[in-house]
Amino acid sequence: MTKKAKTFMYICFGGIEAFLVRGVINAAMDGMRAPLLDYFGLLYMTPWGVLLLLSCFGLIGLLVSHLIKRRGTKGQKPISVGYKVSFILSFVPYVLFLAYCVLCSKFGFNFFTTTYGWEGFRNAFIVVGFVFCVIPVFPFCLFWQILYIVKWARKERS
């Protein structure tokens, strides 16, 4: 691992550590009136949660980059069939999300009131899309697609 990669890895671990320390500080300031994990759940929806997410994405990107580089040094193809299949499968949540929205436009989307047609599609798109961004399904899929395309472009260029 290069010096830049190690520095980046330590920065990512520092971001995760900052998130954890902030959660413990919030719990201590509140007097531990709730279980400790509840404070981390609340902290996830703040800029500290964004720091945690970016740090995790950075570590995943570093790991994938290291694995691809290691495959190249062993004489194997840098991007294997497994990476291609995972790239294709990363589009499945988007397809299922749009299929669910279309289904809600026909059969109704129930969120306080039941809506049909375009309003049902729009409401399902907004609510379920927000949920899939809070639970980082869409950001992770998008991150994986960008990482794969960058690695593929670098391989083709060299």
Side-chain angles (χ1 to χ4, degrees):
M1 190 175 281
T2 65
K3 187 174 181 178
K4 287 181 187 177
K6 283 184 182 180
T7 304
F8 184 70
M9 181 179 68
Y10 292 138
I11 290 171
C12 290
F13 279 127
I16 293 170
E17 183 180 352
F19 174 82
L20 295 174
V21 167
R22 185 63 192 172
V24 171
I25 288 172
N26 285 352
M29 288 174 63
D30 193 39
M32 291 290 292
R33 287 190 262 168
L36 185 61
L37 292 178
D38 289 350
Y39 292 102
F40 291 119
L42 293 173
L43 195 60
Y44 182 71
M45 297 296 292
T46 65
W48 295 98
V50 173
L51 177 66
L52 175 70
L53 189 64
L54 290 175
S55 297
C56 289
F57 281 169
L59 287 174
I60 292 169
L62 190 63
L63 175 68
V64 170
S65 178
H66 178 71
L67 291 176
I68 288 175
K69 197 177 294 183
R70 193 173 71 184
R71 286 182 62 87
T73 58
K74 288 183 178 179
Q76 299 171 333
K77 284 185 171 180
I79 296 182
S80 67
V81 174
Y83 289 115
K84 290 178 185 173
V85 169
S86 67
F87 174 71
I88 293 168
L89 288 178
S90 69
F91 288 99
V92 169
Y94 299 117
V95 172
L96 291 177
F97 170 64
L98 288 176
Y100 178 74
C101 290
V102 169
L103 192 70
C104 285
S105 71
K106 180 170 172 79
F107 296 108
F109 180 70
N110 190 6
F111 188 71
F112 297 119
T113 62
T114 304
T115 55
Y116 296 92
W118 172 248
E119 286 185 24
F121 181 89
R122 185 192 64 201
N123 291 344
F125 189 87
I126 291 170
V127 171
V128 178
F130 178 74
V131 168
F132 278 162
C133 286
V134 170
I135 303 169
V137 174
F138 288 161
F140 182 74
C141 290
L142 183 64
F143 169 75
W144 183 252
Q145 292 160 4
I146 291 171
L147 183 69
Y148 178 85
I149 290 169
V150 166
K151 292 297 177 183
W152 176 79
R154 283 186 183 169
K155 181 187 76 100
E156 290 295 318
R157 190 175 59 189
S158 61

